[in-house]
């Protein structure tokens, strides 16, 4: 157990559920506390890519199914989808933006292109993404049952709380569990629609339905996550705790160093005084030997 998820007895350990997300962090007045809903919304946009991330997810598949619907050419459709995904990633690189969402799209499209080219079946362009969705749904559910909801693992660093929610913030752990259940069940429902279509529908039907199901389930899952977390206790900023601990250790070390220097200075002064007293010449009217009589 790390120092960031061990039990604690401070106010964060048993938050008042009525306090809501507007509760101020330690050392900050209520009027200065950031709005919990706004913080949660910003964190979700950062984690899931926001509007731009959704666009980068949809455009390659949309281009593929559009071209394939028009000319039924697998190679042209696949190359166009891969090219546009690469362009989107390159734009992010040029603008020095976060590239994780764009590159995840590139890899997803690349796997789809490889599958489709190998089998010669255009529907296989969608198969890697469908399998990924199914695996992600299972991961959300399994990690929640194991007590470490996947949403918490994903959003903990974004909220600067890492894994502190596991043992120090039970209300927040509950919110992460609810959100992970929502994601898992929504993605399972999506898979329940898509996999039968993979076997029974043709490529264009599967492609257009898959495009139609890209955004709505995602937005529903994000909205539910936002609702659960906005009502949860505020996150514990373990980064701030770590910085405060390091600062306290530095101050304590500086104080010990100052005390050692002071004691060393006093010892040096006493040593010099003692040496001077020992080496000082005796008074002229005082006989050698300390004034003792000779026998």
């Amino acid at each position: 157990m790390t120092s960031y998820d061990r039990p604690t007895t401070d106010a964060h350990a048993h938050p008042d559920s009525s306090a809501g997300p507007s509760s101020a962090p330690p050392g900050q007045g209520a009027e200065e506390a950031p709005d919990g809903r706004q913080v949660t919304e910003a964190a979700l946009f950062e984690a899931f890519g926001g509007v731009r991330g959704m666009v980068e997810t949809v455009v390659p598949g949309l281009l593929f199914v559009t071209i394939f619907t028009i000319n039924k050419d697998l190679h042209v459709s696949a190359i166009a989808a891969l090219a546009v995904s690469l362009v989107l990633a390159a734009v992010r690189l040029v603008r020095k933006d976060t590239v994780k969402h764009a590159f995840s799209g590139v890899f997803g499209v690349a796997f789809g292109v490889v599958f489709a080219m190998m089998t010669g079946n255009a529907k296989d362009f969608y198969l890697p993404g469908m399998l990924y969705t199914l695996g992600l749904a299972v991961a959300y559910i399994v990690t929640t049952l194991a007590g470490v909801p996947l949403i918490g693992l994903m959003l903990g660093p974004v909220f600067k709380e890492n894994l502190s929610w596991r043992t120090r913030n039970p209300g927040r752990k509950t919110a992460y569990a609810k959100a992970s259940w929502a994601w898992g069940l929504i993605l399972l429902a999506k898979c329940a629609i898509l996999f039968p279509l993979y076997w029974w529908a043709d490529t264009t039907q599967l492609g257009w339905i898959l495009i139609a199901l890209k955004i709505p389930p995602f937005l529903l899952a994000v909205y539910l996550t936002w609702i659960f977390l906005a009502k949860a206790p505020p996150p514990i900023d373990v980064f701030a705790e770590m910085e405060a601990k390091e600062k306290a250790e530095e101050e304590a070390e500086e104080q010990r160093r100052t005390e050692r220097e002071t004691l060393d200075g006093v010892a040096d002064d006493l040593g010099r005084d003692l040496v001077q007293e020992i080496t000082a010449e005796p008074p002229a009217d005082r006989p050698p030997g300390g004034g003792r009589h000779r026998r």
Side-chain angles (χ1 to χ4, degrees):
M1 185 179 296
T2 67
S3 61
Y4 300 135
D5 61 359
R6 64 175 181 271
T8 183
T9 57
D10 64 10
H12 289 291
H14 304 286
D16 183 1
S17 59
S18 64
S22 61
S23 301
Q28 186 178 27
E31 67 280 358
E32 300 174 353
D35 184 82
R37 292 176 181 268
Q38 293 178 355
V39 173
T40 300
E41 181 179 350
L44 289 176
F45 264 80
E46 179 182 346
F48 297 112
V51 175
R52 187 173 178 182
M54 288 187 289
V55 170
E56 292 170 344
T57 302
V58 172
V59 168
L62 178 61
L63 186 61
F64 177 89
V65 70
T66 301
I67 295 176
F68 191 83
T69 301
I70 295 172
N71 61 15
K72 305 299 181 181
D73 191 321
L74 170 60
H75 292 80
V76 173
S77 303
I79 292 173
L82 183 59
V84 74
S85 64
L86 289 171
V87 169
L88 293 173
V91 170
R92 280 190 176 265
L93 284 174
V94 171
R95 299 183 59 177
K96 298 181 180 180
D97 294 334
T98 302
V99 296
K100 61 181 180 180
H101 301 290
F103 275 125
S104 64
V106 170
F107 289 128
V109 172
F111 278 117
V113 169
V114 170
F115 267 62
M117 293 293 187
M118 289 176 58
T119 64
N121 185 354
K123 285 196 293 186
D124 288 340
F125 174 80
Y126 306 109
L127 186 57
M130 293 167 58
L131 293 174
Y132 173 78
T133 300
L134 178 60
L136 193 59
V138 173
Y140 277 119
I141 293 174
V142 170
T143 55
T144 304
L145 293 174
V148 283
L150 183 58
I151 282 290
L153 299 177
M154 295 168 57
L155 296 183
V158 177
F159 284 109
K160 300 181 180 181
E161 61 181 336
N162 284 351
L163 298 178
S164 62
W165 49 268
R166 292 185 62 229
T167 53
R168 299 177 60 186
N169 208 339
R172 199 156 182 85
K173 180 179 179 180
T174 300
Y176 281 139
K178 292 179 179 179
S180 292
W181 274 114
W183 278 91
L185 294 177
I186 289 172
L187 294 181
L188 279 181
K190 181 178 176 180
C191 291
I193 297 172
L194 292 179
F195 275 96
L197 290 175
Y198 174 80
W199 297 107
W200 300 332
D202 60 31
T203 301
T204 55
Q205 291 173 335
L206 174 62
W208 287 113
I209 293 174
L210 192 147
I211 294 299
L213 291 178
K214 275 281 186 179
I215 302 301
F218 174 82
L219 291 179
L220 176 59
V222 170
Y223 176 73
L224 292 176
T225 302
W226 178 73
I227 291 295
F228 294 140
L229 293 183
K231 294 180 179 180
I236 301 172
D237 192 340
V238 295
F239 293 167
E241 288 182 348
M242 181 175 62
E243 291 174 357
K245 181 180 179 181
E246 291 177 351
K247 184 178 180 180
E249 291 177 350
E250 290 175 358
E251 291 177 350
E253 179 61 28
E254 178 66 20
Q255 183 177 358
R256 287 193 294 268
R257 187 178 65 82
T258 302
E259 292 175 353
R260 285 197 302 268
E261 291 177 352
T262 301
L263 291 175
D264 290 343
V266 171
D268 290 342
D269 293 340
L270 291 175
R272 283 194 297 269
D273 292 342
L274 183 59
V275 170
Q276 291 176 0
E277 183 178 348
I278 292 174
T279 59
E281 295 182 0
D285 57 347
R286 182 176 179 183
R292 289 184 291 181
H293 296 286
R294 294 183 179 179
R295 294 183 180 179

